[in-house]
Amino acid sequence: MENVYAVQCENLRIANMAFQAGSYEVAYEMLEALVHFVVSDEANKHIGMENLRSLREGVKLAVSNFASCKDEAYWEMSAELYDLFR
């Protein structure tokens, strides 16, 4: 079985690269899945508390990058995603 934490970290890395390349749709879709995962009970079952805290912070930071996005629609959608952390 693959290490869930490693897979999610790789997904975060790819999402960040997509954002930096201007592929906002790809980045947003990946981050949307990551946000829903890191706030889920499933994440608590598969990832230790310290690793989950680190992954959550990385995902929050990646989502916050959309605040500087040139596409206002993605900025608005990312604000809604960010609210899921509350």
Side-chain angles (χ1 to χ4, degrees):
M1 182 176 159
E2 288 186 89
N3 181 329
V4 175
Y5 176 69
V7 169
Q8 298 303 336
C9 285
E10 179 66 6
N11 289 340
L12 177 58
R13 186 186 72 76
I14 294 168
N16 280 322
M17 286 178 30
F19 180 85
Q20 291 170 358
S23 299
Y24 300 133
E25 183 177 356
V26 171
Y28 180 83
E29 288 176 3
M30 293 187 78
L31 288 171
E32 183 178 32
L34 280 162
V35 168
H36 287 285
F37 175 75
V38 298
V39 300
S40 72
D41 290 334
E42 192 70 21
N44 287 321
K45 292 178 188 174
H46 294 287
I47 298 177
M49 190 170 54
E50 192 61 36
N51 284 342
L52 183 54
R53 184 178 302 123
S54 173
L55 183 59
R56 278 184 183 151
E57 289 305 312
V59 172
K60 284 171 72 173
L61 181 61
V63 170
S64 72
N65 286 334
F66 277 96
S68 65
C69 179
K70 296 174 185 170
D71 188 323
E72 189 175 327
Y74 284 111
W75 179 85
E76 290 176 6
M77 291 187 305
S78 69
E80 292 174 15
L81 266 185
Y82 200 85
D83 287 343
L84 293 175
F85 286 104
R86 297 171 199 229

